[in-house]
Amino acid sequence: MFHINQNAVHCINSDCPRPYPQPWGNKFCHTCGAPLHLLDRYVPLQRLGSGGFAQIYTVWDQKTQTEKVLKVLVESSPKALELFVQEAAVLRSLRHPGVPRVEGDGYFSVEMLSATTLQNNLNPHQFRCLVMEKINGQTLEEIFEQYPQGCPQEWVFNWLVQAVEILQELHSRKIIHRDIKPSNLMLRTQPASLNKGGTKKDQLVLIDFGGAKQFSSNQFGLKASSTRLYSSGYSPPEQIAGGVIGPGADFYALGRTMIEMLTGKSLSELENPVTGEFVWRNKVNVSPQLADFLDEMIQEDVRSRPANAAIIQKRLGKISRVSPQPAIFSQIEQSFRSWFGQAKGFLSQVEDSVGQALITSAHAVGKTTFFVFKAIFNILLACLDTFWTMLLTGIGASSGAIAGFVLASGTTIDEDVTKFMSHQLPALVTTTPAISGSEFLLFAGAGLGTAWGLTLAGGFGQKRRFFVTSLMGVISYAFGWLVLQLITPHQGGEGLVGLILAGVSLLTISLGLRSHHIVHAVIAAFGTAVVFAGLIFLGLPTNIFDLLRSPGWSDIWLPVTFFGFVGVLLSFWLGVSYYLIVPGLRLLGWR
């Protein structure tokens, strides 16, 4: 990477009007005169962003021939300086693979002598600098965005175990982090892949020690913190109120972080907006032992949380021994989700690598090329998401239809349904040859299977509401069946088109998509219906369901294929709507 980053240097003076690019080899900035070789060792290469009171850069360490991270304090308040010095002291004292390494001379000051300073006889401005190890990998926040359906339990359990090991090291030195959240937890991974996200190859690293603080083991002698630092949703009540905090604050934040990674839902989505109650266990399939322990970690009363990291490690050891092996269907699901997540993670990694190389090599051409590459990768990710949803929805719809047929042929429920419908909807008796309970059960099963497939895929930014979507899947397809009965002639193509429009639109509205619900419903329903209208015009049989009035296994393949194809087309048009139509509407100002 050295030959890539040697092209230009970045000035770290926050007052410099043209900090980048500086020619490689210059000792001082050609615009403001600030030094570009820090301690005759570190050369700033690129500004990464800002964090708290500091600007963050990538620097080249000429001594070790490696890239590192430089934090430069730009806030002049005494409190900002106190926190920055505190972070430097904490990191220099720690030697743990789960904490970024800082060498003994990694904290230093640099004087900035600019022309304005000299002309006005002002004292030179000092910039405090902290150089630390650069962690290559993804944050849990980035992984969270790749897995809207939630991460597998074994991944989260492994991260929890590693995080507790780090906290045990910190707390043994009387240090609390005070700002644990997904963006401050990284996986030290190889650039090529995510390594399945939860294996021992991925070392969890706790970063951003800007809020770290010493605490006393004598709880009676503790005083409230003079600095009210907290992250909404993750920090415990005593920290938000500016009260006395200890190791329990880190346990609370870690527990909330792991729950967020398990469910794939933001903490605000898990809180009842009226009562403020935190409800998450019904959003994910997780072992009761782990769920109970996470609930214990996030208790509002600090005395109800685990007292120290050693206790947590013992509890996690017991949970690991009693955790049952996942069922075969769960293993299949997690294998698919793992493959899908790896593919998205790999594409994101490649996108970042290519973008980094292009931006640093040639600005004018690089930006255009980067935009093209980014567009291509976004298209690939959208295709992956859509294909995954089409696959699961098609399988779910076909399986649900088969289950409905088995229920009708193996029990007497279809007869009870027929009698009930005949009494409740007497008008149908005069307009149709006979009401078929088998046909109704087939529709209900297909609706349930389609809803489960869509929700299990978790695509298109949807909220995974299994119960609501399953219920609406049955209702929407039942309504489609009713539309089919009322359209005359019953065996015509109009009936098939009508049931698709009714069933698909109602199901799409209930999916829990983030916005533009009507747009998604219209595109999905009309897109699917138009395709079937074309197939009917080309000769698709329209008496698909008439065969079920005397059901037999030889007749089931046609309805099952029909519902499976409806599920596939529904998912396809949802992908078109989510990735093309809705972004276009947002671009035109329709929020």
Side-chain angles (χ1 to χ4, degrees), residues 27 67 99 121 147 151 171 175 181 205 207 246 250 257 266 299 350 352 409 432 437 440 461 477 481 490 554 586:
K27 295 289 185 179
E67 281 190 342
V99 176
N121 295 320
Y147 289 86
C151 297
H171 295 169
I175 298 169
K181 53 188 176 183
V205 181
I207 62 174
D250 284 345
T257 296
S266 64
Q299 291 295 311
V350 175
D352 292 341
S409 60
T432 60
F440 180 85
Y477 272 50
W481 172 83
H490 179 65
S554 59
R586 286 199 178 102

Side-chain angles (χ1 to χ4, degrees), residues 144-178:
F144 174 82
E145 293 173 354
Q146 296 172 12
Y147 289 86
Q149 75 276 20
C151 297
Q153 176 179 319
E154 59 267 29
W155 293 12
V156 177
F157 186 81
N158 182 37
W159 298 336
L160 179 59
V161 170
Q162 294 191 61
V164 173
E165 291 176 0
I166 299 171
L167 291 181
Q168 185 179 40
E169 175 70 17
L170 293 182
H171 295 169
S172 67
R173 297 173 180 266
K174 308 302 180 188
I175 298 169
I176 51 177
H177 187 273
R178 295 201 299 171

Side-chain angles (χ1 to χ4, degrees), residues 204-225:
L204 192 75
V205 181
L206 182 59
I207 62 174
D208 194 355
F209 282 72
K213 188 176 181 64
Q214 293 282 148
F215 72 93
S216 171
S217 57
N218 181 8
Q219 297 294 323
F220 295 100
L222 287 178
K223 296 181 180 179
S225 172

Side-chain angles (χ1 to χ4, degrees), residues 246-555:
D250 284 345
F251 301 150
Y252 180 95
L254 179 61
R256 303 267 289 195
T257 296
M258 294 301 132
I259 289 173
E260 193 171 43
M261 300 304 296
L262 271 174
T263 60
K265 297 182 180 297
S266 64
L267 297 179
S268 59
E269 292 181 82
L270 300 175
E271 288 185 352
N272 188 308
V274 179
T275 64
E277 183 183 4
F278 191 71
V279 181
W280 68 276
R281 296 176 68 144
N282 61 341
K283 309 293 183 182
V284 64
N285 183 19
V286 62
S287 72
Q289 295 85 2
L290 179 58
D292 290 341
F293 186 62
L294 289 174
D295 277 337
E296 186 176 329
M297 291 180 69
I298 64 171
Q299 291 295 311
E300 292 195 2
D301 187 349
V302 66
R303 293 170 297 182
S304 300
R305 301 175 209 150
N308 54 59
I311 292 176
I312 295 180
Q313 288 180 318
K314 290 181 181 178
R315 290 282 299 276
L316 293 178
K318 293 179 180 178
I319 294 172
S320 177
R321 288 192 294 271
V322 302
S323 294
Q325 293 296 322
I328 182 64
F329 291 109
S330 177
Q331 289 180 333
I332 293 173
E333 174 195 349
Q334 290 184 6
S335 297
F336 272 116
R337 294 200 303 181
S338 174
W339 170 81
F340 184 57
Q342 287 179 51
K344 292 180 72 175
F346 172 75
L347 290 174
S348 298
Q349 291 280 352
V350 175
E351 175 188 350
D352 292 341
S353 301
V354 173
Q356 176 68 25
L358 291 173
I359 288 177
T360 54
S361 60
H363 290 285
V365 178
K367 287 183 179 179
T368 303
T369 310
F370 172 67
F371 176 80
V372 173
F373 269 89
K374 187 172 183 179
I376 292 174
F377 280 114
N378 284 338
I379 291 172
L380 289 176
L381 290 176
C383 291
L384 266 177
D385 194 14
T386 304
F387 174 78
W388 171 247
T389 307
M390 290 169 63
L391 178 65
L392 284 189
T393 306
I395 294 174
S398 300
S399 301
I402 293 174
F405 178 79
V406 170
L407 188 65
S409 60
T411 66
T412 59
I413 297 178
D414 60 325
E415 298 176 4
D416 297 332
V417 171
T418 302
K419 293 178 182 178
F420 178 79
M421 290 294 179
S422 299
H423 286 89
Q424 297 299 321
L425 301 171
L428 293 181
V429 178
T430 59
T431 58
T432 60
I435 295 178
S436 172
S438 300
E439 188 177 303
F440 180 85
L441 291 176
L442 182 79
F443 271 72
L448 179 63
T450 304
W452 263 81
L454 281 167
T455 310
L456 189 64
F460 314 133
Q462 63 172 297
K463 303 174 183 177
R464 300 180 79 216
R465 307 182 302 183
F466 279 97
F467 177 76
V468 174
T469 309
S470 299
L471 181 62
M472 285 302 299
V474 174
I475 294 175
S476 60
Y477 272 50
F479 183 69
W481 172 83
L482 181 60
V483 170
L484 179 65
Q485 309 307 309
L486 295 176
I487 291 180
T488 304
H490 179 65
Q491 68 274 15
E494 297 88 347
L496 291 181
V497 173
L499 80 86
I500 290 173
L501 289 174
V504 170
S505 58
L506 280 180
L507 178 57
T508 304
I509 290 175
S510 69
L511 273 181
L513 300 173
R514 303 290 177 177
S515 63
H516 299 79
H517 304 86
I518 300 299
V519 175
H520 291 306
V522 170
I523 297 298
F526 277 91
T528 306
V530 166
V531 173
F532 268 95
L535 293 175
I536 292 171
F537 178 78
L538 295 175
L540 177 74
T542 58
N543 61 337
I544 295 174
F545 304 108
D546 288 350
L547 301 173
L548 296 177
R549 299 187 182 280
S550 55
W553 281 105
S554 59
D555 302 323

